[in-house]
Amino acid sequence: MKKMSYVASLFAFGLISGVAHADFNAELNTSVLKADDLKVFALGGSYYFDRVHTNKGPLAEATFLDKQSSVDAVFTRFDFDDNNVNAWALAGTYVLQGTGLYLNASVAHLNGYSEDIYGFGGGYYLSRDLTVYVDTEFDEDLNYLGMSLGSKKLFDLGSDHYVSLLGVYNNPDEGDDSFALSSDFYLNRALSVGLGYEWADKFSDGISSVRSQWFVNKQFAVSAEVAYADYDSGSDTSYMLGATMRF
């Protein structure tokens, strides 16, 4: 379960200058992760009910800067210790345009487990590039499973350079609280490099990551990440490759 939690945190935590604007209504994402005896494949997509404009900042931050109501779905396959587990999730976000408020809900199912997990949350944009949010989780009997608090800020440094900062506090009903910090530096509107770190009981025991994303053209991006987990019980390194397509 420690390794499953590690991989989940990597997915929870989820590069060319002068790119023309390319608004979109749909986005597909796929990724493959390898960590020791674990392989993870994920395929997901989002449909936005209004076109997402990409002329407000980095291409990767389009859905953050131009928030639109959406429906989302993701399928994930875990292969580990000669076993495999499939998981799926459905989600939706409703944006109250003009108010800065948004609400979301989700349901997730992991094969082999009898109960689904339900998520409810929402957030508020304090400005066009700063948001705070809260997410909660419940089982099928609406027993409380935990919550997370987060905030994200995008800084415009000028000359198509940007820096994003994200902080998350996780408070599960069972287990240790955890914290996550990450930042991406945009060399231009299409190319970024980022760092992340997540820890729970002790700051010295956590997951550090280095990542990058490149929008090759207006609709297609590739990404890569290397993460190193260091726990009392041992350490592990994972490698991830991903791709994004917009329509």
Side-chain angles (χ1 to χ4, degrees):
M1 289 303 295
K2 173 70 76 172
K3 181 164 288 186
M4 292 290 287
S5 175
Y6 161 50
V7 173
S9 68
L10 291 178
F11 279 95
F13 219 17
L15 306 174
I16 210 163
S17 126
V19 178
H21 305 324
D23 301 341
F24 60 95
N25 276 103
E27 182 176 87
L28 292 177
N29 295 282
T30 185
S31 63
V32 177
L33 180 144
K34 177 71 170 68
D36 193 16
D37 57 351
L38 172 69
K39 295 180 181 179
V40 183
F41 169 78
L43 176 64
S46 300
Y47 177 79
Y48 299 92
F49 293 99
D50 289 301
R51 291 192 71 79
V52 178
H53 301 287
T54 60
N55 60 350
K56 299 180 179 181
L59 293 175
E61 302 288 355
T63 57
F64 173 70
L65 294 172
D66 193 34
K67 192 96 176 153
Q68 302 292 346
S69 299
S70 65
V71 290
D72 315 276
V74 62
F75 167 82
T76 308
R77 180 182 177 86
F78 301 88
D79 291 305
F80 61 99
D81 297 333
D82 297 323
N83 296 306
N84 59 74
V85 177
N86 295 329
W88 58 262
L90 300 174
T93 299
Y94 179 70
V95 179
L96 288 75
Q97 298 291 350
T99 68
L101 293 170
Y102 56 94
L103 305 172
N104 56 67
S106 64
V107 56
H109 178 79
L110 187 66
N111 285 3
Y113 291 81
S114 59
E115 293 188 346
D116 295 336
I117 304 298
Y118 296 90
F120 304 95
Y124 179 69
Y125 273 84
L126 299 170
S127 65
R128 64 177 293 271
D129 53 13
L130 173 62
T131 187
V132 292
Y133 64 87
V134 57
D135 290 319
T136 60
E137 287 188 344
F138 300 84
D139 64 17
E140 291 184 343
D141 297 321
L142 295 183
N143 294 311
Y144 176 75
L145 298 179
M147 65 170 291
S148 62
L149 299 172
S151 181
K152 180 175 179 176
K153 169 69 176 178
L154 180 67
F155 297 90
D156 186 347
L157 306 181
S159 301
D160 281 343
H161 294 160
Y162 302 83
V163 171
S164 69
L165 293 177
L166 172 65
V168 181
Y169 165 65
N170 296 303
N171 176 233
D173 186 49
E174 298 182 1
D176 296 327
D177 293 356
S178 64
F179 305 84
L181 297 173
S182 64
S183 179
D184 291 288
F185 174 67
Y186 292 89
L187 289 78
N188 50 56
R189 294 185 59 244
L191 175 63
S192 68
V193 292
L195 299 172
Y197 191 71
E198 180 177 349
W199 72 100
D201 186 27
K202 294 186 297 183
F203 182 80
S204 59
D205 293 343
I207 304 169
S208 55
S209 60
V210 179
R211 60 177 177 261
S212 184
Q213 186 178 40
W214 175 35
F215 272 84
V216 180
N217 56 38
K218 295 179 290 184
Q219 290 85 22
F220 181 70
V222 293
S223 58
E225 179 177 87
V226 178
Y228 177 74
D230 186 9
Y231 297 115
D232 290 337
S233 58
S235 61
D236 198 2
T237 301
S238 70
Y239 304 89
M240 186 274 291
L241 295 176
T244 297
M245 179 69 74
R246 289 172 169 175
F247 306 91

